[in-house]
Amino acid sequence: MATTATSGTQTPPQLPKHKVKIKKPGQRACNEKNEKGKFCGGHLKRWFYTTDVLEQACGDVEKAWGRDAEVYRCEHCKTLYLPNPEDSGGLNVAGSGRISVFGLTVPAKSK
């Protein structure tokens, strides 16, 4: 798998037919602005571009990042997002959670 950008402040290389951005840590909604200056706000979903019929015809993403890159796409404006290297991945779909107000510490589950 090809590495793309190392920091959230860098701009990733743009593809001819896709707008590409880097997710901010914990970001789950699109922050792309439309022509009126309003945020899109669409959910970012993991995009499996190798099974997308329209992307197979285009082929830009697979040429740029390989066959199994982790790419997210906005459900409304179709902007592509690359994962942030500073964001912790694979912990929980709902987020990192918070510390209990009761002072309890729950041990992590063993695999």
Side-chain angles (χ1 to χ4, degrees):
M1 179 166 62
T3 57
T4 53
T6 57
S7 174
T9 58
Q10 292 181 343
T11 304
Q14 297 298 309
L15 300 176
K17 297 182 183 179
H18 301 284
K19 179 163 179 123
V20 181
K21 297 174 94 175
I22 295 179
K23 285 176 44 174
K24 295 178 181 169
Q27 181 180 358
R28 294 172 41 189
C30 180
N31 61 359
E32 184 66 23
K33 291 184 179 181
N34 64 9
E35 58 277 349
K36 293 182 180 180
K38 293 186 177 184
F39 285 108
C40 170
H43 293 126
L44 300 182
K45 297 184 177 184
R46 177 78 187 264
W47 186 42
F48 296 96
Y49 52 89
T50 54
T51 59
D52 190 330
V53 176
L54 296 176
E55 180 54 35
Q56 286 177 355
C58 173
D60 288 347
V61 178
E62 190 170 348
K63 288 177 193 170
W65 301 314
R67 191 152 175 80
D68 295 323
E70 183 178 353
V71 179
Y72 297 89
R73 185 172 75 164
C74 173
E75 64 181 346
H76 294 301
C77 68
K78 309 299 185 210
T79 300
L80 302 182
Y81 284 82
L82 297 173
N84 191 325
E86 299 166 6
D87 198 9
S88 59
L91 293 178
N92 189 343
V93 177
S96 58
R98 56 186 169 164
I99 299 173
S100 171
V101 295
F102 301 109
L104 301 174
T105 304
V106 179
K109 292 182 180 179
S110 60
K111 292 186 178 184

